[in-house]
């Protein structure tokens, strides 16, 4: 952000000495919302818990009696290595079923005497040997107990063998299985993905193992700490290629037309990171990183259109960056990344074979926008960060998932910044992550990051970790090359719990001269990970008092979750006084006095200046007035403008300050040209738009925003030479999109004509997509949406045709979103029907399409009716692939009346028997939010109307 007045970084020495020690120190409360939600990162976007089809039953708790009733494996056996052979059939069998067959041998060691073998196996038809589901043999001539009984437990997904005698401690055995499974299109385990190429249907066998689906591909000890070596063999048609985590070492034609591809043994790794793919895809490759084989795989057409080039270009530098950052070389012999047409998560960090949605890996130099490019860079950077943190060193159990994701979500910015230094992408952490985390974590229904291992057991609870840990705060991490190196070296190929990282950070702190913390890393971090939420820090510049309080968006909500720290935190406050940065101050109690913060006259105090602190800031009214008047006269002096805007809007929501004080922070926007403050303001005003776009307030609001956005629109018109050039700055390109989009929806003169002109030109000349000259890729989303909103069936049907013909996933996705912008009810209803027809809208895209429709003020009630009427069908239809929680969030965002609240409660009651799967929590949150919205609208409507009316004239 801003550049002015950023005086002397080394002012107070103290912690900043580090800058000079060449250690990359991040003393930040950096927060990383899991992209999984926001940007569809690597996770089976909820939905996975829905696959049980059951809400966690509130009554009749399940009391485990037998060892196989427990969801966690007993500790008696540990796997050493596996031989796994898989043969997927890409043609349906006589019954019209796609299947795979395979066999596996797992060598395991007995570490505790037992007469039971319990191993995961789910939905596999196991061949029997002498009436048993497996064969057991000894390793090195060991005596082998005979099998007494074997059976499958569906609930806990186990294959159980009861032996006639006990296995001997210290001895290794081999368990052989042969199996047949369905290669279903359920996006879980080893599954089938289809796409069309030149009108021909093609089938790809691919996999998604995280979190608990490896057991659906072959019987295995399917827990992250059960690391082993995997010797993988894939049998496939010789017209296809087989990929897995390692390099292929042997490929033999074994009687035409079958090819047998063997892979080098993997490193010791977790089952959830395995990947198997059989496909006719092609690749581009490079060996720029000291002979490391780097390949990008995709559909032939995509590769021919050079859509993989950009990913290949950035992968090398990003890997180099991490090798230096972690001070550890890339752990494997190759790096494959593949774009799948049918993939549920945004991406998945399988070790050595990362899978992506096409939009997260493919970039078309002509058709894609800057935003598409940024997404590719950040997702690749995120996934590659996991190759070390997560894959080489893996958390012991899913309760610590937040650290794995939080860490990757933070360092992805560093990797992306290295690959694209001119983008200044680190500035966007605030927008992408911090503000989003704040939104969830300010609710009384939030929860601490850290959960006990025994609170997370069954697959539904595991998958909930991906949903409800919808945020992670990497707090005040002292990440030094040194500490991550020692951490990675100590735990390479094994597992850790999160406190192991704190230990290493503590060592790093102690080994860094001049570095002082007010307490140990453990104690500081515990305040942030063991209690939910975050504080609002209030500075009273009249007295110099500084206090903290748990920030709750709804001041009347009741926090019934106790906290051992009484909701106080150790807060590092970076601040400046009248433009001069001061020494960082640690707030360690509820209240304190810091005499330097007492100011008078023209002086002012501004805290959390680098926006790295995970807290909000409030001041006494006098200081606020001084800050606001600076904003209006010399706004660049305030370097954290985006934060000020976001803080005031949220403080107002929480009734800590007046709503009008928040609105006053937007008055200077007519002079603002930077993207980040604008974006922050628009996101906050979005709430006003949502609450009021069905009321009389909207007219005045529109008039005010029209006035504010007009200068920005004119500014871009000038710097782009009447919309013929692309702004040079990365974020300026984003800001131009905002300017045009807002100008059109607020009715700025000239906007509508501009958009319609572009779109009509494209309709006249439709192939294959608007030419570069008529609609720049950056503006396509905005232009399509506005043109469809201004237009009727003709514009819509044209977009539908273009959508069906789109060969670039991001172009298809833009059109899919834009078609939800129409204001014509029957078009919206028809579109809703399309979402449940997989020949029209892919299953993986159904929920997001309904969300887009709900975003539209006309579409919202239609989408709500649709979802209510068809919930049980939608729930079945989307089990494996739908993000139900996102769906509920999207539909209920505008809810702000008593009537809507009752409807929501009724929906919950009526469908208890069906269940809500991953949306269970979202539904609770929606009820809480609607209640808060009702209150807010009642209390604020009159003054907001008055303010907008006065300010718009
Ligand atoms: C897998 O390969 C490794 C290396 O060749 C070997 O040591 C191991 O025994 C093999 N695993 C099995 C189950 O045979
Ligand atoms: C694993 O496969 C290798 C190569 O085919 C073979 O030599 C070895 O005996 C197999 N291991 C087991 C335990 O079956
Ligand atoms: C597995 O076995 C069951 C029961 O015999 C059968 O109904 C099912 O179709 C089989 N699955 C596959 C994929 O063949
Ligand atoms: C990839 O890098 C090459 C060589 O620097 C460059 O010519 C090409 O434009 C880049 N491709 C993309 C899509 O950025
Ligand atoms: C937390 O607050 C309770 C009640 O106000 C008090 O009894 C307790 O001592 C406090 N604990 C800490 C650690 O401050
Ligand atoms: Zn991740």
């Amino acid at each position: 952000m801003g550049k002015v007045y950023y005086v002397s970084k080394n002012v107070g020495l103290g912690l900043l000495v580090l800058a000079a020690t060449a250690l990359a120190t991040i003393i930040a409360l950096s927060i990383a919302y899991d992209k999984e939600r926001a940007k569809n990162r690597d996770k089976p976007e909820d939905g996975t818990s829905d696959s049980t089809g059951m809400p966690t039953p509130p009554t009749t708790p399940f009391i485990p009696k037998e060892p196989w009733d427990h969801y966690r494996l007993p500790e008696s056996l540990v796997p050493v290595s596996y031989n796994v052979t898989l043969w997927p059939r890409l043609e349906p069998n006589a019954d019209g079923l796609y299947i795979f067959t395979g066999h596996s041998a797992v060598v395991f060691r007995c570490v505790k005497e037992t007469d039971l073998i319990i191993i995961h196996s789910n939905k596999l038809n196991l061949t029997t040997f002498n009436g048993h589901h497996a064969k057991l043999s000894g390793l090195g001539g060991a005596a082998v107990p005979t099998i007494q009984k074997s059976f499958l437990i569906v609930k806990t997904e186990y294959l159980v063998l009861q032996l006639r005698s006990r296995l001997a401690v210290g001895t290794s055995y081999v368990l052989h299985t042969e199996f047949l499974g369905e290669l279903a299109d359920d996006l879980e385990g080893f599954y089938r993905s289809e796409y069309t190429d030149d009108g021909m249907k093609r089938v790809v066998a691919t996999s998604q193992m995280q979190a608990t689906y490896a057991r659906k591909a072959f019987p295995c000890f399917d827990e992250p700490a059960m690391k082993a070596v995997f010797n993988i063999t894939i049998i496939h048609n010789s017209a296809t290629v087989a990929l897995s985590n390692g390099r292929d070492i042997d490929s033999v034609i074994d009687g035409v037309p079958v090819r047998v591809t063997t892979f080098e043994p993997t490193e010791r790794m977790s089952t959830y990171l395995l990947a198997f793919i059989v496909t006719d895809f092609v690749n581009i490759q490079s060996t720029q990183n000291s002979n490391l084989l780097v390949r990008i795989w995709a559909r032939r057409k995509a590769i021919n259109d050079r859509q993989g080039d950009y990913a290949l270009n950035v992968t090398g530098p990003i890997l180099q960056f991490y090798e230096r950052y972690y001070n550890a070389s890339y752990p494997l012999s190759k790096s494959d990344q593949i774009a799948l047409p049918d993939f549920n998560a945004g991406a998945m960090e399988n070790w050595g074979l990362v899978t992506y949605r096409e939009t997260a890996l493919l970039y078309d130099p002509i058709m894609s926008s800057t935003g598409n490019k940024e997404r590719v860079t950040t997702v690749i950077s995120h996934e590659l960060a996991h190759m070390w943190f997560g894959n080489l060193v893996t958390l012991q159990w899913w309760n610590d998932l937040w650290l794995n994701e939080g860490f990757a979500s933070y360092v992805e910015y560093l990797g992306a910044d290295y690959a694209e230094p001119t983008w200044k992408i680190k500035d966007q952490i605030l927008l992408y992550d911090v503000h989003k985390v704040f939104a969830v974590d300010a609710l009384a229904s939030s929860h601490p990051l850290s959960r006990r291992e025994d609170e997370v057991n069954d697959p539904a609870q595991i998958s909930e970790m991906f949903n409800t840990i919808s945020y992670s705060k990497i707090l005040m991490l002292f990440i030094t090359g040194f500490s991550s190196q020692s951490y990675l070296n100590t735990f390479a190929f094994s597992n850790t719990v999160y406190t192991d990282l704190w230990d290493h950070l503590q060592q790093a702190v102690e080994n860094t001269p001049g570095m002082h913390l007010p307490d140990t890393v453990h104690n500081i971090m515990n305040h942030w990970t063991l209690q939910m939420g975050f504080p609002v820090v209030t500075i009273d510049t009249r007295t110099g008092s500084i206090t903290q309080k748990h920030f709750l968006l709804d001041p009347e909500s009741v926090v019934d979750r106790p906290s051992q720290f009484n909701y106080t935190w150790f807060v590092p406050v970076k601040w400046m006084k009248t433009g001069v940065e001061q020494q960082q101050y640690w707030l360690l109690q509820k209240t304190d006095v810091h005499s330097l913060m007492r100011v008078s006259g023209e002086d002012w105090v501004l805290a959390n200046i680098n926006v790295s602190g995970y807290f909000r800031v409030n001041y006494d009214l006098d200081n606020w007035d001084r800050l606001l008047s600076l904003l209006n006269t010399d706004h660049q002096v305030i370097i954290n403008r985006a934060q000020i805007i976001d803080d005031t809007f949220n403080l107002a929501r929480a009734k800590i300050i007046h709503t009008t004080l928040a609105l006053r922070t937007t008055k200077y926007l007519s002079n603002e040209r930077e993207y980040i403050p604008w974006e922050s303001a628009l996101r906050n005003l979005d709430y006003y738009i949502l609450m009021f776009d069905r009321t009389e307030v909207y007219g005045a609001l529109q008039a005010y925003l029209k006035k504010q956005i007009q200068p920005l629109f004119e500014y871009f018109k000038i710097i782009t030479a009447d919309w013929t050039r692309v702004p040079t700055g990365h974020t300026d390109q984003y800001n131009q999109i905002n300017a045009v989009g807002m100008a059109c929806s607020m009715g700025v003169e000239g906007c509508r004509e501009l958009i319609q002109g572009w779109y009509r030109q494209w309709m006249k000349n439709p192939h294959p997509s608007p030419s570069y000259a008529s609609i720049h890729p950056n503006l396509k989303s905005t232009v399509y949406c506005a043109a469809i909103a201004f237009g009727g069936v003709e514009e819509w049907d044209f977009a539908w045709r273009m959508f069906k013909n789109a060969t670039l996933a991001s172009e298809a996705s833009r059109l899919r979103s834009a078609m939800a912008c129409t204001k014509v009810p029957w078009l919206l209803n028809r579109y809703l029907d399309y979402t449940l027809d997989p020949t029209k809208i892919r299953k993986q895209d159904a929920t997001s399409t309904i969300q887009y429709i709900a975003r539209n003020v006309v579409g919202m009630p239609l989408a709500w009716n649709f979802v209510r009427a068809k919930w049980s069908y939608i729930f079945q239809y989307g089990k494996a692939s739908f993000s139900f929680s996102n769906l509920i969030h999207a539909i209920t965002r505008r809810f702000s009346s008593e009537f809507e609240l009752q409807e929501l409660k009724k929906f919950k009651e009526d469908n208890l028997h069906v269940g809500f799967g991953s949306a269970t929590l979202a539904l609770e949150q929606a009820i809480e939010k609607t209640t808060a919205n009702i209150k807010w609208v009642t209390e604020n409507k009159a003054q907001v109307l008055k303010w907008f009316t006065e300010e718009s004239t």
Side-chain angles (χ1 to χ4, degrees):
M1 227 180 317
K3 44 251 143 188
V4 193
Y5 280 92
Y6 203 77
V7 188
S8 122
K9 267 195 177 234
N10 288 322
V11 171
L13 291 167
L15 301 173
L16 297 165
V17 168
L18 286 170
T21 66
L23 293 171
T25 305
I26 296 128
I27 300 175
L29 298 175
S30 27
I31 300 91
Y33 176 85
D34 80 346
K35 302 340 185 263
E36 290 71 9
R37 311 196 60 66
K39 296 192 234 160
N40 285 322
R41 293 294 159 91
D42 52 26
K43 67 152 212 152
E45 243 181 334
D46 22 43
T48 44
S49 61
D50 301 325
S51 62
T52 62
M54 295 279 286
T56 330
T59 47
T60 59
F62 171 64
I63 299 160
K65 282 194 282 298
E66 304 289 351
W68 49 82
D69 290 338
H70 292 271
Y71 282 101
R72 294 297 300 275
L73 288 168
E75 286 164 3
S76 40
L77 309 175
V78 292
V80 179
S81 79
Y82 294 74
N83 274 2
V84 183
T85 300
L86 294 170
W87 185 4
R89 313 296 154 78
L90 304 188
E91 306 278 340
N93 65 13
D95 302 330
L97 217 55
Y98 288 84
I99 60 152
F100 65 92
T101 55
H103 54 90
S104 163
V106 50
V107 175
F108 62 89
R109 207 154 30 88
C110 173
V111 293
K112 243 193 220 162
E113 229 181 32
T114 180
D115 57 3
L116 277 179
I117 297 175
I118 298 184
I119 186 169
H120 285 109
S121 176
N122 187 21
K123 297 185 180 158
L124 292 171
N125 283 4
L126 296 166
T127 307
T128 51
F129 306 94
N130 298 324
H132 299 305
H133 293 297
K135 274 191 301 198
L136 188 62
S137 59
L139 201 69
V144 187
T146 48
I147 302 171
Q148 184 183 20
K149 200 173 159 197
S150 77
F151 49 92
L152 296 161
I153 304 290
V154 174
K155 184 183 174 74
T156 45
E157 306 178 348
Y158 285 136
L159 160 62
V160 181
L161 304 183
Q162 276 179 321
L163 307 175
R164 289 192 193 278
S165 57
R166 290 165 179 264
L167 298 169
V169 171
T171 306
S172 294
Y173 302 89
V174 190
L175 184 76
H176 304 265
T177 50
E178 249 181 57
F179 45 86
L180 178 152
E182 188 185 349
L183 197 66
D185 59 352
D186 57 0
L187 310 150
E188 292 173 356
F190 201 20
Y191 72 91
R192 175 177 99 248
S193 167
E194 294 175 359
Y195 74 98
T196 36
D197 187 42
D198 280 339
M200 291 257 295
K201 187 175 99 173
R202 311 273 175 152
V203 177
V204 176
T206 181
S207 66
Q208 166 66 37
M209 304 309 189
Q210 195 186 32
T212 54
Y213 305 126
R215 61 189 71 167
K216 214 168 144 268
F218 64 99
C220 55
F221 296 93
D222 198 10
E223 292 190 357
M226 294 286 185
K227 289 195 171 183
V229 170
F230 295 84
N231 304 317
I232 292 159
T233 302
I234 296 181
I235 302 174
H236 57 109
N237 184 304
S238 48
T240 58
V241 59
L243 300 173
S244 186
N245 303 79
R247 260 194 207 234
D248 57 307
I249 45 176
D250 194 13
S251 212
V252 297
I253 304 275
D254 184 24
V256 194
V258 176
R259 184 183 287 261
V260 178
T261 300
T262 322
F263 297 87
E264 63 184 348
T266 65
E267 297 292 348
R268 251 175 70 81
M269 64 180 285
S270 305
T271 46
Y272 82 89
L273 294 168
L274 289 167
F276 316 119
I277 296 178
V278 173
T279 178
D280 61 356
F281 283 9
V282 296
N283 75 79
I284 46 172
Q285 53 179 272
S286 82
T287 45
Q288 45 182 323
N289 290 34
S290 49
N291 297 327
L292 174 68
L293 175 66
V294 173
R295 294 184 293 196
I296 306 293
W297 296 83
R299 290 178 286 110
R300 180 178 300 277
K301 169 126 183 43
I303 291 294
N304 288 348
D305 288 349
R306 315 206 65 93
Q307 292 173 14
D309 290 14
Y310 180 71
L312 190 64
N313 278 7
V314 291
T315 297
I318 291 174
L319 287 176
Q320 276 159 13
F321 170 80
Y322 286 131
E323 290 194 322
R324 228 172 310 145
Y325 180 76
Y326 292 124
N327 199 359
S329 54
Y330 179 73
L332 308 176
S333 64
K334 60 99 172 164
S335 160
D336 276 322
Q337 298 177 89
I338 184 164
L340 294 164
D342 206 14
F343 188 61
N344 193 26
M348 175 63 212
E349 73 265 23
N350 311 305
W351 215 9
L353 176 52
V354 186
T355 45
Y356 294 85
R357 269 192 183 207
E358 289 199 337
T359 49
L361 190 68
L362 302 182
Y363 168 81
D364 187 304
I366 295 168
M367 307 260 287
S368 301
S369 70
T370 303
N372 298 144
K373 194 175 197 176
E374 187 183 299
R375 170 142 201 253
V376 170
T377 322
T378 52
V379 180
I380 290 178
S381 185
H382 178 101
E383 301 313 325
L384 295 183
H386 278 310
M387 298 300 116
W388 289 262
F389 199 101
N391 298 7
L392 178 60
V393 177
T394 310
L395 273 321
Q396 177 77 18
W397 183 243
W398 300 109
N399 61 315
D400 281 344
L401 184 74
W402 60 273
L403 183 58
N404 192 27
E405 287 312 325
F407 188 89
S409 300
Y410 177 69
V411 297
E412 73 177 65
Y413 287 99
L414 310 185
D417 183 54
Y418 181 80
E420 294 287 3
T422 63
W423 290 359
K424 302 208 187 82
I425 199 160
K426 286 191 263 180
D427 291 350
Q428 296 184 42
I429 297 180
L430 173 71
L431 289 174
Y432 285 160
D433 290 316
V434 182
H435 288 176
K436 277 180 208 150
V437 183
F438 272 157
V440 182
D441 207 12
L443 301 176
S445 60
S446 185
H447 61 84
L449 273 180
S450 192
R451 294 229 181 144
R452 287 201 322 271
E453 186 169 339
D454 61 8
E455 290 177 323
V456 180
N457 291 303
D458 64 57
Q461 288 165 337
I462 292 167
S463 118
E464 204 179 298
M465 295 305 291
F466 291 89
N467 304 328
T468 59
I469 294 287
S470 54
Y471 63 93
S472 50
K473 329 167 200 177
I474 306 182
L475 303 157
M476 296 180 280
L477 267 188
F478 304 84
I479 306 157
T480 64
F482 174 78
S483 72
S484 54
Q485 182 197 12
S486 83
Y487 173 80
L488 289 172
N489 284 344
T490 310
F491 298 109
F493 307 111
S494 67
N495 298 73
T496 62
V497 292
Y498 74 96
T499 50
D500 293 327
L501 182 61
W502 298 174
D503 289 340
H504 280 254
L505 295 173
Q506 182 68 36
Q507 277 171 26
V509 170
E510 282 162 16
N511 292 333
T512 307
M515 182 145 181
H516 302 291
L517 290 179
D519 208 323
T520 61
V521 172
H522 273 269
N523 286 343
I524 294 172
M525 298 301 275
N526 281 348
H527 283 73
W528 296 94
T529 59
L530 300 182
Q531 59 184 353
M532 68 176 182
F534 57 88
V536 48
V537 168
T538 304
I539 298 171
D540 189 334
T541 63
R542 295 164 307 185
T543 60
S545 93
I546 171 164
T547 57
Q548 58 167 303
K549 186 170 184 282
H550 183 191
F551 180 80
L552 289 166
L553 201 55
D554 174 4
E556 280 149 53
S557 57
V558 179
V559 176
D560 44 21
R561 189 190 289 272
S563 157
Q564 67 199 97
F565 305 111
N566 278 0
Y567 292 104
T568 59
W569 288 263
F570 287 176
V571 192
V573 182
K574 289 204 167 220
W575 66 290
M576 63 163 55
K577 189 196 267 192
T578 324
V580 181
E581 185 170 342
Q582 309 288 312
Q583 185 172 0
Q584 168 166 287
Y585 162 82
W586 280 90
L587 179 59
L588 304 174
Q589 300 98 29
K590 262 209 151 70
T591 72
D592 192 15
V593 174
H594 190 48
S595 57
L596 289 176
M597 290 187 183
R598 187 169 64 226
V599 300
S600 57
E602 297 289 290
D603 283 346
W604 44 273
V605 166
L606 186 62
N608 199 9
I609 43 176
N610 57 347
V611 215
S612 58
Y614 186 56
F615 57 92
R616 296 203 178 277
V617 188
N618 186 22
Y619 308 94
D620 57 293
L621 271 180
D622 292 344
N623 196 60
W624 272 126
D625 280 337
R626 290 191 292 265
L627 294 177
L628 282 174
S629 93
L630 265 172
L631 265 184
N632 286 318
T633 51
D634 194 6
H635 64 267
Q636 295 194 331
V637 173
I638 307 225
I639 54 182
N640 52 346
R641 303 191 287 285
Q643 183 68 34
I644 293 257
I645 294 169
D646 198 66
D647 278 350
T648 54
F649 272 87
N650 283 279
L651 293 170
R653 282 285 295 281
K655 292 202 233 173
I656 294 170
I657 62 172
H658 272 291
T659 299
T660 48
L661 177 57
L663 290 172
R664 281 165 64 200
T665 62
T666 68
K667 281 186 70 174
Y668 90 100
L669 286 173
S670 49
N671 299 317
E672 180 64 85
R673 300 291 175 260
E674 280 193 37
Y675 166 68
I676 292 177
W678 256 114
E679 178 68 19
S680 175
L682 292 179
R683 287 185 189 188
N684 281 295
L685 288 166
D686 195 48
Y687 182 68
Y688 288 65
I689 295 175
L690 286 172
M691 290 304 105
F692 295 127
D693 64 2
R694 297 174 293 169
T695 76
E696 64 187 311
V697 178
Y698 196 63
L701 182 156
Q702 214 178 10
Y704 172 72
L705 285 185
K706 179 179 168 186
K707 200 175 89 177
Q708 298 300 81
I709 198 79
Q710 184 137 14
L712 194 68
F713 182 73
E714 301 297 339
Y715 167 78
F716 278 107
K717 186 174 172 178
I718 292 163
I719 70 163
T720 60
D722 213 358
W723 314 107
T724 58
R725 273 192 235 135
V726 183
T728 42
H730 183 67
T731 52
D732 285 343
Q733 297 184 23
Y734 291 156
N735 210 19
Q736 181 195 14
I737 301 169
N738 276 344
V740 174
M742 267 324 258
C744 272
S745 35
M746 294 305 138
V748 169
E749 283 74 22
C751 194
R752 181 181 178 134
E753 295 70 22
L754 181 71
I755 296 273
Q756 287 182 323
W758 281 335
Y759 196 78
R760 287 204 189 112
Q761 220 176 313
W762 182 33
M763 287 175 71
K764 269 189 225 135
N765 185 10
H767 196 71
S769 148
S771 71
Y772 192 88
S774 76
I775 311 176
H776 187 271
N778 284 347
L779 290 174
K780 282 180 182 176
S781 294
T782 307
V783 172
Y784 298 173
C785 174
I788 288 168
F790 291 138
V793 63
E794 224 181 302
E795 284 78 4
W796 202 96
D797 284 349
F798 175 75
W800 178 256
R801 272 206 314 285
M802 294 298 109
F803 168 70
K804 280 307 200 187
N805 293 333
T807 55
L808 181 67
S810 56
E811 176 73 5
S813 131
R814 278 196 280 263
L815 285 159
R816 191 163 56 79
S817 155
M819 285 182 284
C821 296
T822 178
K823 306 287 179 203
V824 181
W826 72 266
L827 285 176
L828 288 165
N829 274 329
R830 185 178 68 175
Y831 198 25
L832 280 166
D833 288 335
Y834 287 2
T835 61
L836 298 184
D837 177 350
T839 65
K840 293 203 156 65
I841 300 287
R842 275 177 186 280
K843 240 182 185 183
Q844 63 174 12
D845 295 328
T847 28
S848 63
T849 308
I850 302 173
Q851 280 164 236
Y852 296 143
I853 294 172
R855 183 79 188 78
N856 173 344
V857 61
V858 183
M860 187 277 282
L862 306 178
W864 177 221
N865 288 341
F866 181 79
V867 166
R868 271 190 297 179
K870 296 182 201 256
W871 180 255
S872 59
Y873 181 75
I874 292 175
F875 194 69
Q876 281 306 310
Y877 180 77
K879 256 192 209 169
S881 52
F882 275 23
S883 169
F884 292 121
S885 58
N886 288 352
L887 185 64
I888 296 295
H889 280 306
I891 290 182
T892 58
R893 284 176 72 203
R894 272 191 186 82
F895 282 14
S896 50
S897 71
E898 194 55 44
F899 180 68
E900 282 161 335
L901 180 63
Q902 293 316 321
E903 280 187 333
L904 194 55
K905 288 181 172 164
K906 183 155 187 311
F907 171 67
K908 186 180 157 192
E909 267 160 41
D910 290 351
N911 289 288
L912 277 178
H913 65 289
V914 179
F916 301 97
S918 59
T920 311
L921 182 74
L923 204 55
E924 287 311 314
Q925 289 178 343
I927 290 174
E928 193 184 333
K929 277 190 185 163
T930 304
T931 310
N933 289 346
I934 294 171
K935 248 188 287 173
W936 186 85
V937 168
T938 314
E939 288 163 8
N940 289 282
K941 191 173 170 187
Q943 55 171 325
V944 170
L945 175 60
K946 180 163 175 281
W947 195 86
F948 279 128
T949 310
E950 282 168 10
E951 295 297 334
S952 59
T953 49

